[in-house]
Amino acid sequence: MSTTSSNGLLLTSMSGRHDDMEAGSARTDHSDHEELEHDPEDPFDLDNTKNASAASLRRWRQAALVLNASRRFRYTLDLNKEEHYENRRRMIRAHAQVIRAALLFKLAGEQQIGAFGSSSATPAASTGNFDIDLEKLVSMTRNQNMSNLQQLGGVKGVAEKLKSNMEQGIEEDEKEVTDRKNAFGSNTYPKKKGKSFYMFLWEAWQDLTLIILIIAAVTSLALGIKTEGLKEGWLDGGSIAFAVLLVIIVTAVSDYRQSLQFQNLNDEKRNIQLEVMRGGRTVKISIYDVVVGDVIPLRIGDQVPADGVLISGHSLAIDESSMTGESKIVNKDQKSPFLMSGCKVADGVGSMLVTGVGINTEWGLLMASISEDTGEETPLQVRLNGLATFIGIVGLTVALVVLVALLVRYFTGTTQDSNGATQFIKGTTSISDIVDDCVKIFTIAVTIVVVAVPEGLPLAVTLTLAYSMRKMMADKALVRRLSACETMGSATTICSDKTGTLTLNQMTVVETYAGGSKMDVADNPSGLHPKLVALISEGVAQNTTGNIFHPKDGGEVEISGSPTEKAILSWAYKLGMKFDTIRSESAIIHAFPFNSEKKRGGVAVLRGDSEVFIHWKGAAEIVLACCTQFMDSNGTLQPIDTQKEFFRLAIDAMAKNSLRCVAIACRTQELNKVPKEQEELDKWDLPEDELTLLAIVGIKDPCRPGVREAVRICTSAGVKVRMVTGDNLQTAKAIALECGILSSDTEAVEPTIIEGKVFRELSEKEREQVAKRITVMGRSSPNDKLLLVQALRKNGDVVAVTGDGTNDAPALHEADIGLSMGISGTEVAKESSDIIILDDNFASVVKVVRWGRSVYANIQKFIQFQLTVNVAALVINVVAAMSAGDVPLKAVQLLWVNLIMDTLGALALATEPPTDHLMHRTPVGRREPLITNIMWRNLLVQSFYQVAVLLVLNFAGLSVLGLKQDSNHAHAVEVKNTMIFNAFVMCQIFNEFNARKPDEMNVFSGVSKNPLFVAIVGVTFVLQIIIVTFLGEFAHTVPLSWQLWLASIVIGLVSWPLAVVGKLIPVPKTPMSRYFKKPFRKYKASRNA
């Protein structure tokens, strides 16, 4: 076991970055670099758990000193999860029918069929008014039986039997949806029940020290009743047993509440929103509301939400690895039309008809049979386990010393009872008294272990993360990985997308160049030839993944699709485009979906039987480079050579006005050059040369309000914001200036602003050098973003990166924190990310940074508070035991202190809301010491004060408190000990306020914003009054006079001015942990030499 962990007490900072922080730290000297390197021998030196190996995760767990493994490791990663998942997947693939039947039987037995609510996954026996049997549908899709599909009349026949329209979907009617749910089931599955409260009670009871205390309590109870009778004899043992039960119940309640919070977050993660066609319009619904017969458009990055068959598709490729276990991509077409729920669209576009939902799919059966794993290590959690292990070893040593000292003093006859009589006299004291006294001594030693081993310390991370995650939901951030929440506090750079994150994603066409010149009004067709308008209209209507819906009641048209698609569709509609007519008069024979690498997408359209037109749309300068002619305002084709410079200047001018430039072009294709066979057609590369330029549009996407301020906050907090966009470099520069990412035009020179192509062509070493200076990257591909992330991380940056597309997945996975977009992000991007920004807003990203820093700061507050209690309690008991043979703080009292320190203290301090002060300092280094110099100072000042006061009371209390005149010496000693206990608890109550602001003079600022803190302090104070005044025999206390109560409060109150004076003491810049670590380093070096 490693006792020289560099995490916690013996941790040094690799990038100690701030002089002003909530718990304070200073930048470490570069000359001490050798002190800061990763220690491979330390199992707790794990600064990033995102992609950590199972071996390293297993190693730190084995090294940790743990009293209650089931509780300590509850929220760590299940290292056998993948294996369990794979076994379940194989079983379901092989025995789906049997498992489904068993599940239906079980649900029927629980009388939940048809009334399963939101968790309903069971179909009714009848298929109602539909002309197809449920079992036939399920069997056909599961077995991917083509002959069954053909017997039913193909996709068209199945759609007719399901009373669904392949183009318009089912009717948008609540009764229609309900009928389908009744006939074919809903798209939900019975979730595995979470742990009950009784399970949490059982787990809290598993603590080794608590079990030992219960055994000691039972022994003491038996001996007490035997020697003193039932009336008096039950008190010692009974009080300890009750205190232990109280600790168990409070711990279980706290843990149970946490588990409910995680459960709610998991429900939120699973609730995917998607688009379906209903009544001819595109509507957004929850994945749980998908029904059999729905027509669902599929785009790259989508999750297939249910089982179904392909209606139509272009270059559609599906990643079925989640269900088959094979990582190959499967192409879907009319020969292989079956789609499995839970798979991902890897490429292309298409639409599907839903044929199976819920537990009628293999995915539903799999989800019903596995429980959601909320476990996952976080770097802070691992480091705190290292710290807890170190403190625990010290505490065990102290407890052992106390045990030996008390036993030696007892058996040598130097221990006296409260009346001054010697407790042990050889040959006189009865065996039963000896055993009873030894049990009391042993109980004290074990109780010291309870206080000394900070079992709740690593769990405080989970508590503060659970609290933060719940609050972050209100700030529009859904945390998928716990570690990301705290790692965000260490982020040194954010690589942000432009569109939708820094901008509003509300696009409109504001400038148009068509017919060889700029149009006076962007969407006025009066100056254009009808032939040109017709070609633009056909190109826009066919080369789109959007849709235009005309309500039957003649209301306003509804345009759906991505923001760019909606802007272009809206513009073309105003030009006079007849969307439905164009799509009915011509047919798409092949499509090349928009590709973020090529920055363009195209379609081949067959008009009638003889004419083929190929339409392209994409980044203006890229499409322009493929054009050899343009169509003028008279509808005549003209060579583009003379006008190319005019169009380039037009694109530059629009880009400088922060407009996104999109070009629309086309060409004809001879029919005999178009492949006839479907297989060849699927592999056909659409011609992209000799294009005719039809129009260039400039799309305005305004900056989000508040983005400039959010960027300023990041900059002042030491977090560099970088913009990485696929847009033109000029557009990117204009937006960067508008957002404050670039401060001035003079700054906008290479490599501060750089094109993705230039960056990717650099060598690896050059990229690392250039990456430091990059602020804006334009015309970047997802791979360029990945290269940038890798280069920045090699330079030591902690990188947060935003992404929304499927191709962003590698960068999101590679980054320290991957942030996907909740509105515009694909499911693949979301699954690769750590946090989902629900409103796609950069300001929400900054709030996540704030929360990340808050997590770290709150843990440090709790550490400072807990260690102060630890040091004071241990020192007072050790000194008293060694010198007097007795301890002033009894077992029950120490258990109450432990409850204040562990559970209530964590609740009060770990749930402090973030403050603006957090963003006035630079990022927390990932290898920075948990206990900083400022914390050491505060901790030692308070500990010395508490120890000094308590020792004076212990050894001179009778004189100081004026109790020497008391004729009843035993009562006087009880009053003195009660005073010590009361003063000790008062010190902790007042010191809890000091722990809130380790480096600020005003410890009360913002206290009203945390009602939980105020409530816990208030409840602790009231319970202390009750314990001292009314639970005397139970807690070994006697009621105190009002003067002694006042004295106790004053003793506690002194900690406030003392904290202010303490904060005037300067601290060295070099972390104190360095001095702890040096001897161990030298010892290790000498052993290895």
Side-chain angles (χ1 to χ4, degrees):
M1 182 182 290
S2 169
T3 59
T4 60
S5 170
S6 65
N7 294 274
L9 284 172
L10 303 180
L11 179 78
T12 52
S13 168
M14 176 170 269
S15 50
R17 291 192 172 106
H18 48 285
D19 298 312
D20 172 33
M21 59 174 285
E22 290 247 336
S25 181
R27 178 180 284 277
T28 52
D29 239 335
H30 195 69
S31 59
D32 291 327
H33 180 71
E34 69 277 2
E35 295 285 341
L36 309 177
E37 288 175 359
H38 168 70
D39 182 359
E41 291 182 33
D42 181 7
F44 301 105
D45 194 358
L46 196 67
D47 62 6
N48 191 357
T49 59
K50 183 171 177 177
N51 299 311
S53 67
S56 60
L57 297 180
R58 202 171 270 115
R59 187 166 161 247
W60 80 256
R61 295 179 203 189
Q62 289 167 350
L65 174 69
V66 179
L67 299 176
N68 186 346
S70 59
R71 183 167 182 250
R72 178 80 73 86
F73 298 134
R74 181 185 298 137
Y75 293 113
T76 53
L77 184 70
D78 179 2
L79 297 176
N80 300 315
K81 176 189 170 189
E82 287 298 322
E83 188 182 341
H84 173 66
Y85 179 90
E86 185 63 19
N87 290 339
R88 293 299 308 171
R89 187 189 59 71
R90 281 182 188 154
M91 188 187 293
I92 286 165
R93 292 236 80 198
H95 310 291
Q97 199 162 352
V98 178
I99 293 168
R100 176 172 170 264
L103 189 54
L104 285 169
F105 182 77
K106 179 190 170 192
L107 294 174
E110 291 172 358
Q111 297 183 335
Q112 291 180 329
I113 291 184
F116 211 73
S118 64
S119 296
S120 173
T122 56
S126 164
T127 52
N129 302 319
F130 303 101
D131 304 329
I132 190 166
D133 179 54
L134 169 66
E135 294 304 323
K136 191 180 281 187
L137 259 183
V138 172
S139 172
M140 176 190 76
T141 312
R142 186 174 60 241
N143 300 323
Q144 303 203 353
N145 194 319
M146 280 299 295
S147 60
N148 279 10
L149 180 62
Q150 285 160 4
Q151 284 170 18
L152 292 167
V155 185
K156 190 177 181 183
V158 173
E160 285 171 358
K161 287 176 170 55
L162 289 172
K163 296 182 167 42
S164 178
N165 184 300
M166 289 199 298
E167 289 179 2
Q168 300 196 341
I170 64 171
E171 286 303 313
E172 194 180 0
D173 177 53
E174 206 171 305
K175 185 180 180 301
E176 174 86 7
V177 172
T178 306
D179 288 346
R180 289 175 186 274
K181 281 185 180 178
N182 291 337
F184 302 106
S186 66
N187 200 28
T188 50
Y189 46 86
K191 283 178 279 186
K192 273 203 159 185
K193 287 178 182 173
K195 286 181 185 174
S196 68
F197 175 66
Y198 301 106
M199 278 301 294
F200 284 97
L201 274 176
W202 174 250
E203 285 185 0
W205 154 262
Q206 301 302 302
D207 192 305
L208 182 63
T209 48
L210 295 184
I211 292 170
I212 293 170
L213 283 175
I214 286 286
I215 294 167
V218 170
T219 309
S220 179
L221 195 67
L223 289 167
I225 291 170
K226 183 186 172 187
T227 55
E228 298 177 43
L230 183 62
K231 190 174 181 183
E232 296 289 327
W234 73 273
L235 284 169
D236 275 354
S239 59
I240 293 171
F242 182 77
V244 169
L245 285 173
L246 184 65
V247 168
I248 288 170
I249 289 166
V250 172
T251 302
V253 169
S254 173
D255 290 351
Y256 181 60
R257 286 184 70 250
Q258 266 185 63
S259 80
L260 292 179
Q261 287 181 3
F262 283 125
Q263 202 173 308
N264 292 337
L265 286 163
N266 284 327
D267 290 342
E268 199 67 42
K269 279 191 272 185
R270 284 191 290 256
N271 188 12
I272 296 167
Q273 298 295 308
L274 55 102
E275 290 182 344
V276 299
M277 295 296 293
R278 286 189 178 170
R281 71 195 286 195
T282 308
V283 293
K284 207 155 198 171
I285 62 167
S286 162
I287 192 170
Y288 300 134
D289 295 328
V290 171
V291 292
V292 169
D294 263 328
V295 172
I296 299 176
L298 298 173
R299 299 183 189 95
I300 186 168
D302 286 351
Q303 178 176 314
V304 179
D307 281 1
V309 285
L310 183 68
I311 296 171
S312 65
H314 298 288
S315 309
L316 189 65
I318 304 291
D319 178 1
E320 294 185 345
S321 58
S322 58
M323 288 311 300
T324 63
E326 297 171 15
S327 56
K328 67 176 184 178
I329 305 296
V330 181
N331 291 309
K332 293 294 174 182
D333 51 31
Q334 298 310 320
K335 290 180 182 176
S336 174
F338 294 102
L339 297 157
M340 282 192 289
S341 178
C343 299
K344 305 290 188 302
V345 180
D347 200 6
V349 291
S351 61
M352 67 175 281
L353 176 72
V354 176
T355 57
V357 293
I359 61 162
N360 298 321
T361 71
E362 287 182 17
W363 178 256
L365 291 175
L366 182 62
M367 290 295 103
S369 67
I370 60 172
S371 54
E372 181 77 21
D373 179 25
T374 55
E376 175 221 341
E377 270 84 341
T378 77
L380 206 48
Q381 194 178 1
V382 176
R383 290 170 66 185
L384 284 172
N385 270 285
L387 178 60
T389 298
F390 182 86
I391 297 168
I393 290 166
V394 173
L396 280 171
T397 307
V398 168
L400 194 63
V401 168
V402 170
L403 178 64
V404 171
L406 289 177
L407 287 173
V408 168
R409 288 188 65 95
Y410 179 79
F411 285 110
T412 54
T414 53
T415 304
Q416 297 177 332
D417 62 18
S418 56
N419 293 312
T422 303
Q423 283 189 309
F424 174 78
I425 302 169
K426 193 175 180 181
T428 306
T429 309
S430 68
I431 296 294
S432 123
D433 283 343
I434 292 170
V435 172
D436 193 27
D437 289 338
C438 286
V439 166
K440 286 176 181 174
I441 290 170
F442 185 69
T443 302
I444 288 164
V446 173
T447 311
I448 286 173
V449 175
V450 173
V451 176
V453 179
E455 193 71 5
L457 190 56
L459 295 166
V461 181
T462 320
L463 179 68
T464 190
L465 285 174
Y467 166 78
S468 301
M469 287 165 73
R470 185 164 52 86
K471 293 290 185 181
M472 283 164 77
M473 280 292 288
D475 280 342
K476 305 297 180 187
L478 171 61
V479 178
R480 296 188 74 254
R481 282 175 57 88
L482 279 175
S483 60
C485 193
E486 70 183 45
T487 309
M488 202 65 185
S490 300
T492 58
T493 185
I494 300 171
C495 297
S496 175
D497 281 343
K498 175 185 77 70
T499 308
T501 308
L502 297 167
T503 62
L504 280 167
N505 222 4
Q506 294 172 2
M507 301 194 187
T508 48
V509 174
V510 294
E511 278 191 41
T512 304
Y513 285 80
S517 61
K518 183 178 179 180
M519 292 171 60
D520 294 333
V521 181
D523 50 17
N524 184 355
S526 59
L528 301 179
H529 195 275
K531 185 179 176 183
L532 178 56
V533 174
L535 279 171
I536 290 171
S537 297
E538 185 180 72
V540 172
Q542 292 288 23
N543 190 14
T544 185
T545 53
N547 187 43
I548 295 181
F549 174 72
H550 295 268
K552 291 175 184 174
D553 59 7
E556 198 174 326
V557 294
E558 295 174 19
I559 300 172
S560 59
S562 71
T564 308
E565 294 284 12
K566 282 163 74 174
I568 294 171
L569 282 169
S570 176
W571 166 75
Y573 179 75
K574 289 171 184 173
L575 285 180
M577 174 183 69
K578 308 287 184 209
F579 185 79
D580 293 331
T581 308
I582 291 168
R583 287 174 80 98
S584 63
E585 287 175 352
S586 56
I588 298 170
I589 54 173
H590 186 56
F592 176 82
F594 181 83
N595 181 302
S596 54
E597 291 283 346
K598 286 199 164 188
K599 307 286 182 198
R600 58 190 179 276
V603 290
V605 175
L606 179 65
R607 291 183 182 174
D609 295 324
S610 58
E611 209 173 9
V612 174
F613 266 79
I614 293 166
H615 291 277
W616 284 96
K617 179 178 73 186
E621 70 272 25
I622 293 173
V623 173
L624 179 64
C626 301
C627 294
T628 55
Q629 49 192 0
F630 71 97
M631 186 172 283
D632 64 19
S633 55
N634 300 317
T636 309
L637 296 180
Q638 302 287 352
I640 205 166
D641 297 340
T642 55
Q643 289 289 92
K644 215 158 200 174
E645 191 57 30
F646 166 75
F647 288 124
R648 280 202 195 100
L649 290 171
I651 292 167
D652 276 349
M654 287 192 284
K656 281 173 183 172
N657 287 327
S658 66
L659 302 186
R660 168 177 277 192
C661 303
V662 176
I664 298 162
C666 72
R667 60 163 287 169
T668 55
Q669 181 74 2
E670 294 170 23
L671 192 59
N672 58 7
K673 289 185 179 176
V674 177
K676 300 288 186 289
E677 298 298 320
Q678 188 61 44
E679 257 182 63
E680 290 177 24
L681 191 61
D682 289 342
K683 294 174 186 174
W684 182 41
D685 288 331
L686 287 180
E688 50 189 353
D689 57 339
E690 298 182 1
L691 301 185
T692 299
L693 182 67
L694 301 176
I696 299 172
V697 295
I699 302 171
K700 182 71 177 171
D701 185 11
C703 260
R704 282 185 182 273
V707 160
R708 194 175 182 87
E709 176 61 14
V711 170
R712 188 198 62 75
I713 290 169
C714 276
T715 306
S716 66
V719 182
K720 183 171 176 64
V721 180
R722 292 175 162 92
M723 181 201 288
V724 184
T725 177
D727 272 359
N728 181 304
L729 200 57
Q730 293 298 331
T731 308
K733 174 187 162 185
I735 292 287
L737 285 165
E738 202 176 329
C739 294
I741 292 171
L742 287 173
S743 54
S744 65
D745 254 329
T746 53
E747 199 185 337
V749 291
E750 198 170 301
T752 305
I753 66 166
I754 193 170
E755 274 206 356
K757 183 183 176 186
V758 176
F759 181 69
R760 86 178 75 112
E761 287 171 356
L762 297 172
S763 69
E764 190 175 330
K765 207 75 187 158
E766 286 171 330
R767 281 201 295 268
E768 285 175 36
Q769 291 300 315
V770 168
K772 299 174 191 173
R773 298 170 61 191
I774 292 173
T775 302
V776 176
M777 186 186 284
R779 279 290 175 247
S780 70
S781 68
N783 192 52
D784 298 332
K785 188 187 281 188
L786 175 62
L787 291 172
L788 178 63
V789 169
Q790 289 170 337
L792 288 168
R793 291 192 74 214
K794 280 178 185 172
N795 285 330
D797 274 300
V798 179
V799 184
V801 66
T802 70
D804 51 14
T806 304
N807 293 335
D808 287 329
L812 290 168
H813 182 73
E814 178 73 19
D816 295 283
I817 314 103
L819 303 154
S820 64
M821 299 297 113
I823 299 169
S824 60
T826 64
E827 282 311 308
V828 170
K830 288 174 188 175
E831 286 203 3
S832 298
S833 68
D834 306 303
I835 297 173
I836 301 171
I837 304 300
L838 298 172
D839 62 353
D840 291 15
N841 192 343
F842 184 78
S844 299
V845 176
V846 179
K847 286 176 185 173
V848 174
V849 175
R850 210 161 166 260
W851 276 109
R853 294 185 177 194
S854 175
V855 167
Y856 195 88
N858 285 353
I859 293 302
Q860 287 187 311
K861 292 169 188 176
F862 179 56
I863 291 171
Q864 181 181 308
F865 173 68
Q866 189 171 50
L867 289 188
T868 306
V869 183
N870 274 24
V871 171
L874 289 178
V875 170
I876 179 73
N877 271 8
V878 170
V879 173
M882 300 288 279
S883 58
D886 194 14
V887 288
L889 297 172
K890 306 300 181 191
V892 173
Q893 295 170 357
L894 282 174
L895 284 170
W896 168 232
V897 169
N898 185 63
L899 200 62
I900 296 172
M901 181 179 74
D902 248 17
T903 309
L904 298 178
L907 268 174
L909 293 168
T911 56
E912 279 276 309
T915 62
D916 291 337
H917 180 65
L918 291 166
M919 298 303 281
H920 294 157
R921 57 179 176 85
T922 47
V924 178
R926 282 196 294 193
R927 307 177 78 83
E928 229 165 72
L930 278 173
I931 306 176
T932 63
N933 288 359
I934 286 176
M935 289 168 69
W936 275 117
R937 179 193 64 196
N938 299 343
L939 190 158
L940 292 172
V941 166
Q942 294 296 332
S943 298
F944 283 147
Y945 167 68
Q946 290 180 22
V947 168
V949 168
L950 297 182
L951 287 177
V952 166
L953 286 174
N954 189 56
F955 293 109
L958 295 177
S959 303
V960 172
L961 301 173
L963 298 171
K964 277 207 166 178
Q965 294 78 25
D966 197 326
S967 56
N968 188 342
H969 180 71
H971 179 261
V973 170
E974 284 179 337
V975 171
K976 180 200 77 171
N977 285 343
T978 302
M979 182 65 187
I980 290 171
F981 168 57
N982 203 38
F984 184 58
V985 171
M986 288 301 123
C987 282
Q988 308 325 317
I989 290 173
F990 285 97
N991 191 40
E992 213 157 346
F993 285 89
N994 293 331
R996 289 185 65 247
K997 304 288 177 184
D999 64 337
E1000 290 181 57
M1001 293 295 182
N1002 183 6
V1003 296
F1004 306 106
S1005 67
V1007 74
S1008 59
K1009 292 178 183 175
N1010 190 357
L1012 185 61
F1013 178 89
V1014 176
I1016 286 171
V1017 169
V1019 166
T1020 307
F1021 189 77
V1022 170
L1023 286 175
Q1024 180 65 13
I1025 293 171
I1026 292 168
I1027 288 168
V1028 169
T1029 310
F1030 303 108
L1031 301 178
E1033 291 181 329
F1034 169 78
H1036 300 283
T1037 59
V1038 291
L1040 297 175
S1041 65
W1042 70 266
Q1043 292 95 335
L1044 291 180
W1045 265 105
L1046 187 62
S1048 300
I1049 291 169
V1050 169
I1051 288 169
L1053 197 62
V1054 169
S1055 70
W1056 285 351
L1058 190 67
V1060 173
V1061 172
K1063 284 167 188 173
L1064 298 173
I1065 302 170
V1067 293
K1069 285 193 173 184
T1070 305
M1072 283 181 69
S1073 52
R1074 182 80 45 81
Y1075 304 114
F1076 283 105
K1077 196 167 185 179
K1078 272 184 179 173
F1080 291 110
R1081 279 277 170 106
K1082 285 176 183 174
Y1083 173 68
K1084 277 186 185 179
S1086 64
R1087 283 188 64 186
N1088 295 334

